[in-house]
Amino acid sequence: MSARDRAERIEEILRDRICLLDYPPGLRLSETELAEEFGISRTPLRRVLARLEGAHLLHSVHGVGTFVTDLADEELDQIYRLRIELAQLAGRLDPVAPSADLLAHFRQLAQRAAALVPDPDTPRPFAQLIMDFIQAQSRLSANQPLMEITQHLYFQTARIWVHSLFTSALDLSEELAVFAQEVADVVSALEAGDLDAAASIHRTHISLSYRRMLARRDSAQA
Amino acid sequence: MSARDRAERIEEILRDRICLLDYPPGLRLSETELAEEFGISRTPLRRVLARLEGAHLLHSVHGVGTFVTDLADEELDQIYRLRIELAQLAGRLDPVAPSADLLAHFRQLAQRAAALVPDPDTPRPFAQLIMDFIQAQSRLSANQPLMEITQHLYFQTARIWVHSLFTSALDLSEELAVFAQEVADVVSALEAGDLDAAASIHRTHISLSYRRMLARRDSAQA
DNA sequence: TCGGACGATGTTGTGCACATCATAAGCAAA
DNA sequence: TTTGCTTATGATGTGCACAACATCGTCCGA
């Protein structure tokens, strides 16, 4: 395996751990421990960490540590407003009709969502399902820069959203049901061959889930 | 100066050199030479290069070298189609009325554009003007993620656009005149307080300059 | 009792020597 | 002449020792 491939693999592993909340926001990581775990020295590991820092998923402080990024309310708001617009764009810009395999994969995601039982202590299955859904959606447009940006913004916000959902522990089953409904609606639109409708559904759900998060935030402050 | 500040400064210098075509697409850089120039060792320099690689401005190949990224026609097309949509978004998402200082800066940019004399051998003044214009525009929306993405896409494409313009050496003065007109139009819209109009003007000019580049590409292939 | 200096500890940042790899020049054999 | 192997060269990648830095506990003195 080439050095480049190994670095990409480690970067993907760490990104997954951050996005799936194995590494919650604010956690301090140890370069030495990570280097030992992957069987490499700190030098190539630090290259990976530098890239994740460029993606706003980590930030290092000299003499203190390397921390998983958290998002302030205002930053989260701005990204959500942007994601709402980008979701709509995905249906207009270089749409690609899903293959039979991809459609089957979407149906499987809908089944997973319907079968998922909420557990306030293990956010990972829910986060994993959301990540898989996003990755599947990224195959609905051939515009790679747009999909890359969309995923990038998802990496930043989805984990914060899930984290706030599981820490407040309110409406967990309701949010899960809403998400399952979204996946089912998107599958219906895809089966009808209407990619723009699928994008609109996605946009609507981002907007609504954002509003519900705002409501949770307000009730928490009150 | 802290280590972080120094790294950011070097990254900005290298990014400017790439975007202003001091480092044209395809150029091979030497880690050793750059490290000597900035008076540091290869280790911290490589951290900077890794971040620029994450921004798709560089790519390294083991045993060969570090190269300034070039864009294939298809990649350029996809980014342009995306930029056209994002330019329109900037007027809708968290618009910020320009301060008196910013407005004066825009007028100064218009004067610089009107006064610029085309020289097929020195693309840098034109590229610098474009970069300054983009940086000024990034202050017209308070949505930082959107502005960061817009600038990021500009870093990737504007230099390719200028490079193709100066290598073909056709219509150079015409393109410069069109750009000067765009800046003047944007200033007029800003003076009227119509940010959405300014965004539309920008969008239109991106679209038109893209079409002219496509025409140059077709004539070059013929 | 309180405050501040100080050092022990653990972290990230840096410099350097070497490993690994790709390329091109050189050279010998067919 | 051409082909293929060998080798020299220079590039990026890695490991390690140490420097720079922040934090916290400790201890001494007012």
Side-chain angles (χ1 to χ4, degrees), chain A residues 4 46-47 53-54 56 60 78-79 81-82 85-86 89 92-94 142-146 148-149, chain B residues 4 46-47 53 56 60 78-79 81-82 85-86 89 92-94 142-146 148-149:
Chain A
R4 187 176 199 78
R46 279 174 58 77
R47 186 186 174 90
E53 193 172 345
H56 300 304
S60 301
Q78 289 184 352
I79 297 181
R81 286 197 288 272
L82 177 55
E85 302 292 338
L86 291 184
L89 255 186
R92 273 212 319 275
L93 217 52
D94 304 328
N143 195 296
Q144 290 181 13
L146 174 60
E148 185 178 330
I149 289 168
Chain B
R4 187 177 199 79
R46 280 174 58 76
R47 186 186 175 88
E53 194 172 344
H56 301 304
S60 300
Q78 289 184 352
I79 297 181
R81 286 197 289 271
L82 177 55
E85 302 292 338
L86 291 184
L89 254 185
R92 273 211 318 275
L93 218 53
D94 305 327
N143 195 298
Q144 290 181 12
L146 174 60
E148 186 178 330
I149 290 168

Side-chain angles (χ1 to χ4, degrees), chain A residues 20-21 119-128 162-163 166:
Chain A
L20 300 179
L21 295 174
D119 177 1
D121 296 326
T122 58
R124 191 184 167 116
F126 191 23
Q128 181 74 63
V162 173
H163 190 66
F166 276 73

Side-chain angles (χ1 to χ4, degrees), chain B residues 3-220:
Chain B
R4 187 177 199 79
D5 293 337
R6 179 175 61 185
E8 283 184 8
R9 204 175 114 259
I10 293 178
E11 182 178 346
E12 188 181 341
I13 291 174
L14 291 180
R15 189 171 51 220
D16 277 349
R17 291 181 183 176
I18 295 170
C19 293
L20 300 179
L21 296 175
D22 293 335
Y23 294 161
L27 181 70
R28 190 185 73 183
L29 303 178
S30 164
E31 292 183 353
T32 306
E33 286 181 9
L34 287 176
E36 284 182 2
E37 175 188 347
F38 294 112
I40 59 179
S41 76
R42 281 181 55 218
T43 307
L45 178 74
R46 280 174 58 76
R47 186 186 175 88
V48 174
L49 296 184
R51 290 176 60 98
L52 290 172
E53 194 172 344
H56 301 304
L57 293 178
L58 294 177
H59 62 104
S60 300
V61 182
H62 188 187
V64 181
T66 302
F67 299 90
V68 178
T69 303
D70 198 356
L71 259 59
D73 290 345
E74 176 61 21
E75 296 172 299
L76 200 58
D77 293 347
Q78 289 184 352
I79 297 181
Y80 257 94
R81 286 197 289 271
L82 177 55
R83 279 184 50 207
I84 289 170
E85 302 292 338
L86 291 184
Q88 186 76 6
L89 254 185
R92 273 211 318 275
L93 218 53
D94 305 327
V96 172
S99 65
D101 284 348
L102 184 55
L103 205 53
H105 183 54
F106 268 105
R107 290 198 192 93
Q108 188 183 3
L109 288 173
Q111 290 180 0
R112 279 173 59 191
L116 189 60
V117 286
D119 177 3
D121 296 327
T122 58
R124 192 185 167 116
F126 191 22
Q128 181 74 62
L129 186 58
I130 290 180
M131 294 291 291
D132 291 345
F133 182 57
I134 290 310
Q135 195 174 358
Q137 276 195 320
S138 74
R139 297 166 64 184
L140 293 177
S141 168
N143 195 298
Q144 290 181 12
L146 174 60
M147 293 298 100
E148 186 178 330
I149 290 168
T150 301
Q151 283 200 14
H152 176 70
L153 296 177
Y154 234 101
F155 291 157
Q156 288 187 67
T157 57
R159 62 198 177 89
I160 306 293
W161 182 81
V162 173
H163 190 66
S164 78
L165 182 61
F166 276 72
T167 50
S168 72
L170 293 175
D171 311 323
L172 183 54
S173 58
E174 180 188 339
E175 287 287 345
L176 208 161
V178 169
F179 177 73
Q181 187 60 46
E182 172 187 359
V183 180
D185 289 345
V186 167
V187 167
S188 298
L190 292 180
E191 286 175 341
D194 193 342
L195 286 170
D196 200 62
S200 291
I201 292 167
H202 189 204
R203 174 207 165 99
T204 302
H205 278 80
I206 293 175
S207 179
L208 293 179
S209 71
Y210 171 50
R211 294 194 178 204
R212 289 193 300 275
M213 185 176 67
L214 284 183
R216 285 199 301 274
R217 185 193 297 171
D218 290 341
S219 66

Side-chain angles (χ1 to χ4, degrees), chain A residues 208-220:
Chain A
L208 292 180
S209 70
Y210 172 51
R211 293 194 177 205
R212 288 194 301 275
M213 186 177 66
L214 284 182
R216 285 199 302 274
R217 185 191 298 171
D218 288 342
S219 67

